[in-house]
Amino acid sequence: MSQPKYLTGDKAGLEEFLAKFDVFLFDCDGVLWSGDHLFPKVAETIEMLRSKGKQLVFVTNNSTKSRADYKKKFDKMGIPCNVDEVFGSSYSAAVYIACILKLPAPKNKVFVLGETGIEQELNVEGVPYICGTDPAFRRDIEPEDFTDIANGSALDPDVGIVLSGLDFHLNYLKMATAFQYLQRGAIFLATNIDSTLPMAHSLFPGAGSAGAGLAKAFGKEPLSLGKPSQAMMDAVEGKFHFDRSRTCMVGDRMNTDIQFGIEGKLGGTLAVLTGVSKKEDFLAEGAETVPMAYVDQLGDLLG
Ligand SMILES: O=C(O)[C@H](O)[C@H](O)COP(=O)(O)O
Ligand SMILES: [Mg+2]
C-alpha cells in the first residue's frame, strides 16, 4: 500500500490533486466544524472549489439533523450551500426504508431511537414512526412498564422496524421497548455506527455507542445506512450521477469516510486531521485504511 501524500504547504501537489476530481464528497463533523465551531478558512475553501467548477455533496453520518436543518447550519456558518447538496444518514435511512425495504403498510412503522433529524426525513418520505423526540418516552421505566411491554399492551402492532441513530436522550424504557420489538421480528437498522462524535474540540459517545446496548442485548448488529455503507454510496450516486473515478471523498475518520470512498472505488480520498483519526492511524505499518492524501486542516487546500 503506497504512503499517502501530505499536501499541506505543497502548492504544486495540491494543484495536481484537485485537478484529478470534478466532484468532492465532504464529510461534515470533524472536517468543516466541531459542533458550532467552524474550522479556519472552510468557507473560503468551499468557495474556491466552486469557483473551479467542482460539484460538492455534503455526506454526513450525523443523524440528529435533517437536510433542511443542515441548510440552516450552513447558512449560519456562512457557507453557501443548496439543501439538495446535503445527504445525511437520516435521509439515507429514510430513503432505504421507503424505497428499498418498502414494507407493506400498516406494518411499516418505525420505532425511532434518535433525534428530530430522523423524524423529519421519515416524514418527507411518508414513513410512519413512534418514539424519537416524543416526551412520553423520556421518563424512567416503572414496574408496570415491564408487564405492559412484555404482554404487548404497551407496544404498537404496526411497528416493523427499529431505527437506531444518535440519541441524546437515551434511557432504559426506550431500549427495553426497542428490544421487545426486535424480539418480535422487527428489522434492526441504524443510521450509522460511529463510535465517537467530534464535538467542542473533543470526542463524545457517537451513534454506534448509543445503540451498542441494544445490539448487545439483541445479539445482532443493525444494518447501518451511513458511511461506510455502500447502500449510501449507491443512493448518493443515484441522486447526483457523478463519475466515481473523478470523485474524491474528504473525511476525518478512517473507518467511515475513507473506507466509504475506497470501497466505493472513488478516484481518491483525502483525510483531514481536525476530527477523529490521527495521522499515526494511517501512517502506521500495516494500517487497515489508508487515504490517498491528507492535510492538517481543510483550509490548507487553499495552498
Ligand atoms: O456519532 C455520530 O453520529 C457521528 O460521530 C457524527 O455525527 C459523524 O458525522 P460526520 O463526521 O459523518 O459528519
Ligand atoms: Mg466526520
Side-chain angles (χ1 to χ4, degrees), residues 7-11 14-15 17-18 24 26 31 40-41 44-46 48-49 52 248 250 270-272 293-303:
L7 293 175
T8 293
D10 177 356
K11 249 182 163 13
L14 279 169
E15 279 296 317
F17 185 82
L18 295 180
F24 287 84
F26 271 100
V31 170
K41 298 188 275 183
E44 298 89 325
T45 305
I46 299 291
M48 175 271 291
L49 291 170
K52 287 179 179 287
C248 179
V250 184
L270 177 70
V272 180
Y294 68 104
V295 287
D296 293 339
Q297 59 181 25
L298 189 66
D300 293 350
L301 292 188
L302 290 167

Side-chain angles (χ1 to χ4, degrees), residues 77-90:
M77 294 288 196
I79 302 176
C81 160
N82 180 313
V83 65
D84 285 331
E85 291 178 314
V86 182
F87 201 107
S89 60
S90 287

Side-chain angles (χ1 to χ4, degrees), residues 61 192-194 224-233 254-261 263-264:
N61 271 5
N192 62 303
I193 47 173
D194 298 52
S224 171
L225 282 312
K227 298 167 289 184
S229 155
Q230 292 304 302
M232 187 183 208
M233 180 66 81
M254 291 305 114
N255 69 351
T256 54
D257 308 314
I258 305 304
Q259 191 180 335
F260 182 65
E263 286 185 12

Side-chain angles (χ1 to χ4, degrees), residues 76-151:
K76 198 175 89 179
M77 294 288 196
I79 302 176
C81 160
N82 180 313
V83 65
D84 285 331
E85 291 178 314
V86 182
F87 201 107
S89 60
S90 287
Y91 179 56
S92 178
V95 165
Y96 178 81
I97 292 167
C99 307
I100 309 293
L101 265 189
K102 289 195 284 196
L103 295 185
K107 299 293 184 189
N108 61 337
K109 192 174 284 185
V110 182
F111 186 80
V112 174
L113 295 168
E115 303 293 337
T116 176
I118 297 176
E119 294 174 321
Q120 289 177 54
E121 299 294 8
L122 289 175
N123 279 333
V124 168
E125 296 299 322
V127 177
Y129 65 86
I130 57 171
C131 192
T133 61
D134 180 351
F137 283 91
R138 291 182 177 178
R139 62 174 177 81
D140 292 342
I141 193 163
E142 302 298 339
E144 60 274 17
D145 289 315
F146 288 95
T147 312
D148 297 346
I149 294 169
N151 67 26

